[in-house]
Amino acid sequence: MDSQTVDASPQTGEGRPAATLKRNALGVLGILFFVLSAQAPLTGIAGAVPIAVAVGNGAGAPAAYAIAGAVILLFSVGFVAMGRHVVNAGAFYTYIGKGLGRTTGSGSAAVALFAYCTVQAAMYGLYGFTVSGLVEHYSGAHIAWWVWALVTMVVVQVLGAAGIELGAKVLAVFVLAEFSILLVFALVTFVKGGGPEGLDFGGTFSPGAVLQGAPGVALMFAVASMFGFEATAIYGEEAREPHKTVPRATYLSVTVVTGFFAFVSWMLVSSYGPSKVTAAAGKALSGGDSTVFVFAPIAAQFGGWVNDVLPILLATSLFAGILAFHNSANRYLFSLSREGLLPERLRTLNHRHSPWVAGIVQTAIAVLLVMPFALAGKDPVLTLFSWFSGVGVLACMLLYFLTSVSVIVFFRRRRLDTRPWNTLIAPALGALGIAAVIWLVLTNFTTLIGGDATTATWLVLAVPAVLLLGAGTARIVHGR
């Protein structure tokens, strides 16, 4: 074993070499597209920004994205430092296990699976609702949202089994489409000098603007929009030169996502004017369609055709996110199987080196999470999407926090990297920032899920329950 690398080569639970994912399949851009797909840019902008503006800190909401990006960037420093010495598709599970012990790592793996599967299920809810509305609008045929969700599960399963390269190409098309139209809108608005009140940088980024209203709520939604960037480590085994590719992809994804969300949301604020934007966002929310807040200024800039294209891009944005989370979740199942924590069958690869059995199980989990809402006749947006996206974000924040702590412990025990900024200061600052975000999420969780206090309590308790269940299972399996 190289003195500068922790042995993270794939092993079975009995220590035997195990099947490996396809090597050298992804470069920096390929991984970046998976990250951007998981974050679903149009979904994040159209879904989160109106709420962050109306319920959060109004015109100061774009600054919340910059602050959230700074916190995530601090976290990424330690995350990348660990990734240089540990390459494994288990990502969180492996990272946390190396620093805080195998039991805690196994508990975190259960939380990661819970997070990815619930967020994917949430996306199925909004996706099914969106596609059902589009089909009815263009054809007059009313087909229940859950039918489209089930059909898409089959398509996602096929694409996931077809190999990582095909998935990356499909995602690239969808992500570029939604990313481009939002970025072009923002650039045109910027070049034209902003909206009725100009660019007014101070009206958005000054301390007074940032701290008005409820900045914690805006920060909470900003962090939620960035969920998924850690997928860079999940694809480490399939990356070309992972010790170089994963760090570059991580820093690039955090920088691109932060800049994109902050800039586009700033231009949305500017298009209305800082003094009027809060009322406009509130009107869109009270009207029952928050996307109007985003779609209207884009249509005003480019023409009415945008109102036909953007809903379609919203559907493809959600589809890309669903596929990205499918790939992340099935790689966790695959990795846990190699470690002996899940049945051996889950580590089976097809001729394209894709974990197809794990993919089938992940799809089955999606069915089990989505269909109860359909059978109960629940609104897929107000319940499935809102509840599961909220609990998924909370679960992921816990993983970020544990990873930051694990990085510090790992490098104190193994002096593989003695840079204090990378292995102590940045991870510690990141952990403090993430702890603050967790507190904000818990304080405003009822708002985040759009539900009642009882539902919020049960969802919050589910996260530590999953952590304890995963840790307890590991102790039983390993006999200690």
Side-chain angles (χ1 to χ4, degrees):
M1 179 173 65
D2 188 286
S3 61
Q4 296 299 307
T5 305
V6 173
D7 186 6
S9 59
Q11 300 283 321
T12 65
E14 296 76 31
R16 292 178 286 104
T20 59
L21 298 168
K22 188 172 183 179
R23 304 290 188 182
N24 302 315
L26 294 172
V28 172
L29 291 180
I31 296 175
L32 177 63
F33 280 124
F34 274 106
V35 172
L36 292 178
S37 300
Q39 278 149 352
L42 183 56
T43 303
I45 291 291
V49 172
I51 303 174
V53 171
V55 184
N57 58 346
Y65 286 95
I67 295 171
V71 172
I72 297 300
L73 192 59
L74 285 170
F75 166 82
S76 299
V77 173
F79 187 71
V80 165
M82 178 75 90
R84 293 183 186 279
H85 303 282
V86 180
V87 178
N88 188 286
F92 283 133
Y93 158 69
T94 310
Y95 288 15
I96 294 172
K98 291 294 181 183
L100 302 182
R102 193 170 190 177
T103 299
T104 305
S106 298
S108 70
V111 174
L113 271 174
F114 179 72
Y116 290 137
C117 290
T118 51
V119 169
Q120 188 203 44
M123 286 183 159
Y124 271 122
L126 182 55
Y127 171 85
F129 174 82
T130 302
V131 173
S132 178
L134 285 171
V135 172
E136 186 169 6
H137 174 73
Y138 287 108
S139 70
H142 176 71
I143 301 175
W145 67 269
W146 55 268
V147 174
W148 296 111
L150 290 176
V151 169
T152 303
M153 288 178 194
V154 176
V155 176
V156 167
Q157 172 61 36
V158 171
L159 285 175
I164 197 72
E165 300 102 321
L166 178 60
K169 292 175 182 176
V170 171
L171 294 178
V173 174
F174 291 152
V175 169
L176 283 175
E178 61 181 297
F179 196 84
S180 297
I181 195 167
L182 289 171
L183 188 58
V184 169
F185 157 75
L187 288 171
V188 170
T189 303
F190 181 81
V191 170
K192 287 185 175 181
E197 299 173 28
L199 294 174
D200 195 2
F201 184 87
T204 293
F205 293 100
S206 68
V210 175
L211 297 174
Q212 68 181 327
V217 174
L219 181 61
M220 177 182 67
F221 279 100
V223 172
S225 299
M226 297 183 182
F227 176 47
F229 82 93
E230 72 288 340
T232 53
I234 293 175
Y235 299 108
E237 285 187 35
E238 296 158 278
R240 291 189 289 272
E241 297 185 274
H243 296 293
K244 295 180 180 179
T245 300
V246 172
R248 291 172 182 171
T250 301
Y251 286 132
L252 181 61
S253 64
V254 174
T255 302
V256 168
V257 169
T258 300
F260 174 81
F261 276 101
F263 182 54
V264 173
S265 61
W266 176 30
M267 290 302 100
L268 282 170
V269 168
S270 178
S271 67
Y272 287 98
S275 66
K276 300 175 182 176
V277 70
T278 303
K283 182 179 179 181
L285 290 179
S286 63
D289 185 4
S290 63
T291 62
V292 171
F293 174 79
V294 175
F295 292 178
I298 298 178
Q301 191 76 263
F302 299 133
W305 62 270
V306 168
N307 290 319
D308 292 322
V309 172
L310 285 177
I312 296 174
L313 286 179
L314 178 59
T316 59
S317 171
L318 288 161
F319 177 82
I322 287 167
L323 179 57
F325 281 112
H326 171 83
N327 284 322
S328 294
N330 68 27
R331 277 154 180 76
Y332 258 94
L333 291 168
F334 169 82
S335 180
L336 292 174
S337 173
R338 284 193 315 201
E339 298 289 339
L341 293 172
L342 290 177
E344 182 178 351
R345 181 70 172 161
L346 292 175
R347 74 188 72 151
T348 304
L349 300 174
N350 61 17
H351 68 286
R352 294 181 179 271
H353 290 264
S354 176
W356 68 278
V357 175
I360 291 174
V361 171
Q362 198 285 316
T363 300
I365 292 172
V367 173
L368 292 174
L369 290 175
V370 169
M371 288 311 295
F373 289 85
L375 294 174
K378 297 291 185 180
D379 186 296
V381 178
L382 298 180
T383 57
L384 177 57
F385 176 73
S386 298
W387 296 0
F388 279 0
S389 57
V391 75
V393 167
L394 180 60
C396 198
M397 289 301 103
L398 175 60
L399 292 172
Y400 290 175
F401 178 78
L402 291 175
T403 300
S404 292
V405 175
S406 180
V407 168
I408 296 172
V409 174
F410 175 80
F411 285 111
R412 301 286 72 75
R413 291 175 177 171
R414 298 175 181 241
R415 310 299 291 180
L416 298 174
D417 189 333
T418 57
R419 296 172 297 173
W421 170 255
N422 298 71
T423 63
L424 177 60
I425 299 173
L429 292 174
L432 290 173
I434 292 164
V437 172
I438 291 174
W439 180 81
L440 290 172
V441 170
L442 291 173
T443 304
N444 299 281
F445 197 71
T446 303
T447 300
L448 180 61
I449 67 167
D452 55 62
T454 301
T455 301
T457 300
W458 281 109
L459 289 173
V460 167
L461 291 176
V463 177
V466 170
L467 178 68
L468 292 174
L469 178 62
T473 302
R475 292 184 68 87
I476 293 172
V477 170
H478 297 302
R480 52 183 175 83

